[in-house]
Amino acid sequence: MSYLMSNYAPLDVAFVKGSGCWLFDAQGVRYLDALSGVGVVNLGHSHPEVSRIIQSQAQRIIHTSNWYQIPNQEKLAAKLCKIAKMDKAFFCNSGAEAVEAAIKLTRLFARSKNITSPLILTANNSFHGRTFGALSATGSPKVKVGFEPLLSGFEHIDFNDIDAIKAFEDNTNVVAIMLEPIQGESGVIIPDEDYLNKVADLCHKNNWLLILDEVQSGIGRCGKWFAHNYNAITPDILLLAKGLANGIPIGACLAKGAAAGLFSVGSHGSTFGGNHLAAAVALRTLEVIKEDKILQNVCQISNYLAAGFKQKLAHDKVVEIRIKGLMIAIELNKNPAKLLQLALDQKLLINITGNAIRLLPPLILSQKEADIIIDGVCKLVDNL
Ligand SMILES: *Cc1c(COP(=O)(O)O)cnc(C)c1O
């Protein structure tokens, strides 16, 4: 009998140690981690610089609250704003909280425009988190079931359908559009190359805020700092979390222009958000991504994996391979649910989303480790 609530169904394994892309159980058996704790441990497990900064910062100071200055939080805000071309940052502890901050900003934005029933457009099959605002924004019915009534003020449109957004142009209640540049949880859904440009144009034309939820796709995961960098646009609000501090909880809501000036003293807050420990680790994580040329590695290994999968996967079972950087889904023509356990038996950690195998390996993945993933996934698909 477990004292834990029943909202997870963990596989029958517990890891006691990690190193790079590898995890070890108590018996010392090693597993290749092709998920990175769901896109979090992007520099790998026990990265020496991340471990060092955690230790040294913890020995000095961990937490004081935001009622006192936190120099590393200031530095982190400056660094993130510089690489994201944004003006201001707010720090919280998770992706969902970053989404909540964005929703609150849109409410204040609506008020500034005298809109009393504001609408945010979000996409069908999107995922924005589990808190009530984020859940209401989410366009995946299965995570919402049972929790109604949800927050009102969201309209869901089809992803990658610009006409669906245009249909709202004469609705004066619309204040914002929130999208994942690449839909992660619903299986690495990559829109047309110019979709985000067109969305950004529509937002600009109608004075809507463009909110990009890059909680999963950001911080190098797609081979650039942010997935939207492929479109040469900047959103009004940018949301980050998962890989930001390589496993230490932190979320960020960045904003530019009008959106950056909406919060005033007391209008939003977080006890833990951006504390000394989280801020120091995030700062060092960003530095290491640059120092170790992680973005280049992501692009290189992404091409290598794409070529390997294309060449070696059983063509009769694969519907589509979707890959952007190290966000990867292999869509199969049969439900692959049983492959989760088979992969574990093979000492490979993967995720199954719908009919797809989803992979989010650490961004430090080597070619040798990529080969193990390619061979492992091929073996799994052969078993389908
Ligand atoms: C994971 C995720 C979230 C939620 O993040 P949490 O830290 O679990 O709250 C929000 N948006 C996207 C795109 C995500 O992938």
Side-chain angles (χ1 to χ4, degrees), residues 64-338:
T64 57
S65 89
N66 285 295
W67 294 355
Y68 312 97
Q69 290 175 17
I70 303 171
N72 277 332
Q73 191 188 117
E74 286 278 354
K75 280 191 207 163
L76 177 62
K79 192 169 191 78
L80 281 173
C81 284
K82 188 158 168 256
I83 57 180
K85 300 192 176 75
M86 304 297 277
D87 295 331
K88 299 273 182 189
F90 165 78
F91 293 103
C92 48
N93 312 286
S94 66
E97 284 175 73
V99 172
E100 296 294 334
I103 295 170
K104 287 178 82 170
L105 286 177
T106 66
R107 290 288 204 264
L108 296 178
F109 182 67
R111 201 147 281 213
S112 75
K113 302 209 296 176
N114 293 318
I115 295 171
T116 50
S117 313
L119 276 181
I120 303 175
L121 306 184
T122 64
N124 288 319
N125 298 317
S126 60
F127 182 81
H128 296 291
R130 305 285 192 158
T131 53
F132 263 98
L135 189 65
S136 307
T138 290
S140 158
K142 70 173 191 286
V143 298
K144 298 161 90 161
V145 68
F147 296 111
E148 298 86 356
L150 297 177
L151 190 66
S152 60
F154 295 94
E155 288 284 347
H156 294 90
I157 42 124
D158 280 347
F159 190 54
N160 198 27
D161 178 353
I162 199 74
D163 290 330
I165 298 174
K166 279 187 185 154
F168 280 88
E169 277 194 284
D170 50 16
N171 186 326
T172 52
N173 285 329
V174 175
V175 290
I177 303 179
M178 178 161 67
L179 297 169
E180 299 158 86
I182 293 170
Q183 292 187 329
E185 293 306 297
S186 62
V188 188
I189 310 300
I190 305 170
D192 295 341
E193 260 175 43
D194 60 349
Y195 174 64
L196 280 188
N197 297 77
K198 290 178 181 165
V199 175
D201 284 345
L202 280 179
C203 285
H204 190 70
K205 180 177 160 208
N206 293 291
N207 194 20
W208 298 336
L209 298 177
L210 175 58
I211 306 168
L212 292 182
D213 179 348
E214 294 232 32
V215 166
Q216 186 162 151
S217 59
I219 314 293
R221 172 56 56 188
C222 293
K224 290 186 185 278
W225 275 111
F226 309 106
H228 73 262
N229 290 149
Y230 284 98
N231 293 83
I233 57 162
T234 47
D236 298 288
I237 297 175
L238 177 63
L239 309 178
L240 305 170
K242 291 197 164 85
L244 184 50
N246 214 57
I248 296 295
I250 187 168
C253 171
L254 310 181
K256 75 160 201 253
L262 292 167
F263 281 152
S264 53
V265 173
S267 60
H268 194 45
S270 164
T271 300
F272 293 121
N275 77 9
H276 292 269
L277 181 70
V281 180
L283 205 51
R284 194 70 195 109
T285 298
L286 296 176
E287 286 166 4
V288 171
I289 290 173
K290 187 142 185 255
E291 287 164 15
D292 291 359
K293 302 190 166 51
I294 296 295
L295 304 183
Q296 285 96 313
N297 190 62
V298 172
C299 296
Q300 229 171 327
I301 295 293
S302 175
N303 289 335
Y304 186 78
L305 281 168
F309 283 136
K310 208 168 154 198
Q311 192 190 356
K312 294 189 180 157
L313 277 172
H315 293 287
D316 55 323
K317 290 175 183 163
V318 176
V319 175
E320 188 181 36
I321 300 166
R322 296 186 291 270
I323 177 163
K324 191 82 176 176
L326 290 177
M327 264 179 110
I328 305 158
I330 295 155
E331 182 82 27
L332 301 161
N333 62 8
K334 251 194 262 175
N335 187 307
K338 68 168 185 179

